[in-house]
Amino acid sequence: VGGLGLIFYGFAWLFIPAEGEKENEARRLLSGRVEGTSLSAVLVALVGCGLFLASLGNGSIIFSLMLVAAVAGAAYWSQHRRQAEAAEA
């Protein structure tokens, strides 16, 4: 509903450990082991925040556009990083 589901999904992704794992993504993120899944969870929550604020209609279009740019930048960075790792191997 207006981005609230993405907010809850992103935070659940951060705080509930995956099946068979002992650490959650938030603990990995706070310990300095930044991985793509942690960043994805944060971005999902941020996109949800942007959608929620945009649905309130209080002129938060600039914030929503910045979030879209952040998601696009993260996707580009992730793809570039994978290509660099594949080239090294």
Side-chain angles (χ1 to χ4, degrees):
V1 177
L4 285 176
L6 288 175
I7 295 170
F8 289 123
Y9 185 80
F11 282 118
W13 193 355
L14 281 173
F15 294 115
I16 298 174
E19 185 176 340
E21 294 195 18
K22 296 178 182 178
E23 283 187 327
N24 58 21
E25 295 298 327
R27 183 170 291 199
R28 288 186 189 133
L29 191 64
L30 291 174
S31 67
R33 293 177 291 169
V34 179
E35 297 176 2
T37 53
S38 301
L39 292 177
S40 299
V42 170
L43 286 174
V44 165
L46 284 175
V47 168
C49 289
L51 289 173
F52 179 69
L53 291 174
S55 71
L56 293 177
N58 60 358
S60 61
I61 301 267
I62 294 173
F63 182 70
S64 299
L65 291 175
M66 289 188 326
L67 286 177
V68 168
V71 169
Y76 174 77
W77 174 75
S78 176
Q79 182 181 14
H80 182 68
R81 184 175 144 193
R82 282 189 201 132
Q83 288 174 351
E85 287 176 357
E88 288 177 5

